[in-house]
Amino acid sequence: MSEQPGVAVARLPVAYADTGAAQLGFSLDAALQEPLAREDGKINGITVSVRLLGASHQVVVDDGARRICETVACLPDVTSALPENFQESGYVFSSRIEKVTEHQLVALVEQLGVRVTEQMASGNPSVMGVFPGDPHAVTAIVSDSSAEEISWHTWHTYPQAGEVVITTSVINRGAARA
């Protein structure tokens, strides 16, 4: 799948560029990348685009006046290390790396497939991509919203290293419209 909307789990056509959590970087101003899979939607007039890259993910939130482009990836122009915590103008980001066993990883990937499907059904842009070579090498993005904020969570699994990178991002709706 390249960009077929409405498909919860995409079989990605290329191997992932990053092979471990330490390779991921963070940026709010990296150039838009051509996604391998994406889901777009509107949440109360604010466009949310969740995008899977061979190098990990981008999430673009745009209200017409302000655009935030979160990139967590292994790319040449994403040179800042992945922060544990970051905050700027109503946007909050956090990340953590968890060590997992093979059994835990299998259960997590199964749960992510269900969660992505449920969130898509409720109208929140969400997507999960499975990379070739290992059915547990996935990147998943799940968006959600409330009256006050738009949020998304991502999971980047590395079966060969027994690692999962989990990120959480929140934008205060007032800040997205500021």
Side-chain angles (χ1 to χ4, degrees), residues 1-2 4 14-15 36 38 43 48 52 59 81 85-86 94 101 104 106-107 134-135 140-141 145 177-178:
M1 171 180 134
S2 59
Q4 296 174 348
V14 300
L36 298 174
R38 74 190 265 183
I43 299 175
V48 177
L52 300 181
V59 175
N85 295 291
F86 177 86
S94 65
T101 66
Q104 290 169 321
V106 169
D134 190 322
I141 309 171
S145 66
R177 292 196 169 109

Side-chain angles (χ1 to χ4, degrees), residues 43 46-50 57 59-61 68 70 90-94 115 119 122-127 140-155 167-173 176:
I43 299 175
I46 298 173
T47 301
V48 177
S49 178
V50 297
H57 86 260
V59 175
V60 181
V61 179
I68 294 173
E70 174 189 284
Y91 165 84
V92 178
F93 174 88
S94 65
R115 189 166 178 188
Q119 286 302 96
S122 70
N124 292 302
S126 301
V127 66
I141 309 171
V142 174
S143 70
D144 203 354
S145 66
S146 70
E148 298 82 31
E149 59 193 29
I150 296 171
S151 63
W152 58 93
H153 306 277
T154 74
W155 294 263
T167 73
T168 299
S169 303
V170 178
I171 295 178
N172 176 290
R173 285 190 180 202

Side-chain angles (χ1 to χ4, degrees), residues 1-82:
M1 171 180 134
S2 59
E3 293 188 46
Q4 296 174 348
V7 177
V9 179
R11 303 278 175 219
L12 302 175
V14 300
Y16 44 88
D18 48 319
T19 57
Q23 293 180 298
L24 291 175
F26 172 80
S27 174
L28 290 178
D29 58 9
L32 279 179
Q33 302 293 308
E34 187 63 34
L36 298 174
R38 74 190 265 183
E39 285 295 326
D40 299 331
K42 291 251 186 205
I43 299 175
N44 291 345
I46 298 173
T47 301
V48 177
S49 178
V50 297
R51 301 159 172 243
L52 300 181
L53 313 174
S56 282
H57 86 260
Q58 282 188 316
V59 175
V60 181
V61 179
D62 190 337
D63 70 351
R66 180 177 178 211
R67 185 182 89 165
I68 294 173
C69 179
E70 174 189 284
T71 305
V72 172
C74 175
L75 293 169
D77 62 340
V78 181
T79 57
S80 295
L82 190 64

